[in-house]
Amino acid sequence: MSSSEFVALLEKYEMTFYWGAIDKKWWIIGQVEHGCNQNSIPMPAENFNAAQVAALDYIHQKYKLAL
């Protein structure tokens, strides 16, 4: 995963990535789209890098982007 790709997708879709180091969970907060928020639920990850990879995958699936 390229961190620049991750940052670019967060900016493009106006999302913010959060990492909770204590409980080792990540989530994304997004803009309201068509009356629904785009926030993900907190998901576990082993570490920060794994959380970023999972969040990138989440964005790819949500917007049906080619991997």
Side-chain angles (χ1 to χ4, degrees), residues 27-41:
W27 64 98
I28 291 179
I29 305 290
Q31 299 292 328
V32 173
E33 182 177 280
H34 308 295
C36 300
N37 70 29
Q38 300 181 60
N39 302 348
S40 68
I41 60 170

Side-chain angles (χ1 to χ4, degrees), residues 4-63:
S4 60
E5 175 193 9
F6 182 56
V7 171
L9 287 174
L10 289 172
E11 289 176 357
K12 178 178 179 177
Y13 295 109
E14 299 179 5
M15 297 178 153
T16 304
F17 170 79
Y18 290 94
W19 167 246
I22 294 172
D23 60 356
K24 295 188 175 187
K25 291 185 179 179
W26 66 269
W27 64 98
I28 291 179
I29 305 290
Q31 299 292 328
V32 173
E33 182 177 280
H34 308 295
C36 300
N37 70 29
Q38 300 181 60
N39 302 348
S40 68
I41 60 170
M43 299 294 293
E46 286 197 28
N47 56 45
F48 181 75
N49 290 335
Q52 284 187 319
V53 170
L56 182 62
D57 186 51
Y58 170 85
I59 294 169
H60 277 270
Q61 288 180 19
K62 179 167 183 58
Y63 293 101

